[in-house]
Amino acid sequence: MKRLAVVVSTGFYCGYAPVAPGTVGSALGLVVFGVLRAIASPLGEVVTIAVLLAVGVWSASVTERYVGRTDPGIIVIDEIVGMLLTFACLNVGFGSLLFGFVLFRVFDIVKPYPARACERLPGGWGVMADDVVAALYAQAVLRGGIWVIAALGA
């Protein structure tokens, strides 16, 4: 089970990228989003996010114990779930995808309140929770931008 947890938590080893593993994991999240959007309904998206969040908590907890460090950089399941949450139930095009990607990465790096505080949660909960908060901020800004553009008739 440790091996499975490491495979899942590292996004099929994307977390071992030598440079910017969180960004690589977020890019994998965009790929997962594209596949999910092509095959699932909005309800399917929400259920998939909930399942991946639960699996992420488990796999991140196991991986932390395996490597002996709290929130090691190799764990990217949190970025994958964060990307899915950023775009959940939104009608997005290429520009919105790019903007949402950048927004999520900025909020994930800056960790505005309460994201940084969420990191102190135990085990995989702390790994996942700060990215959930970052994704909710990113989605709120992205949703607002989409609304403004639609209201302006652009």
Side-chain angles (χ1 to χ4, degrees), residues 38-49:
I39 63 173
S41 66
L43 178 60
E45 273 186 50
V46 172
V47 168
T48 301
I49 291 167

Side-chain angles (χ1 to χ4, degrees), residues 61-74:
S61 294
V62 172
T63 301
E64 279 188 328
R65 285 192 301 273
Y66 176 71
V67 300
R69 288 194 332 258
T70 302
D71 199 0
I74 61 171

Side-chain angles (χ1 to χ4, degrees), residues 3 6-7 10-17:
R3 194 170 296 182
V6 170
V7 168
T10 62
F12 295 92
Y13 303 111
C14 285
Y16 287 100

Side-chain angles (χ1 to χ4, degrees), residues 22-100:
T23 301
V24 173
S26 296
L28 176 58
L30 278 180
V31 172
V32 172
F33 170 75
V35 170
L36 187 58
R37 183 54 61 94
I39 63 173
S41 66
L43 178 60
E45 273 186 50
V46 172
V47 168
T48 301
I49 291 167
V51 168
L52 286 176
L53 181 59
V55 168
V57 169
W58 165 77
S59 66
S61 294
V62 172
T63 301
E64 279 188 328
R65 285 192 301 273
Y66 176 71
V67 300
R69 288 194 332 258
T70 302
D71 199 0
I74 61 171
I75 297 176
V76 296
I77 187 69
D78 50 338
E79 277 82 12
I80 294 167
V81 170
M83 289 306 321
L84 295 178
L85 272 171
T86 297
F87 299 114
C89 303
L90 287 175
N91 186 13
V92 293
F94 180 77
S96 300
L97 286 172
L98 183 62
F99 186 52

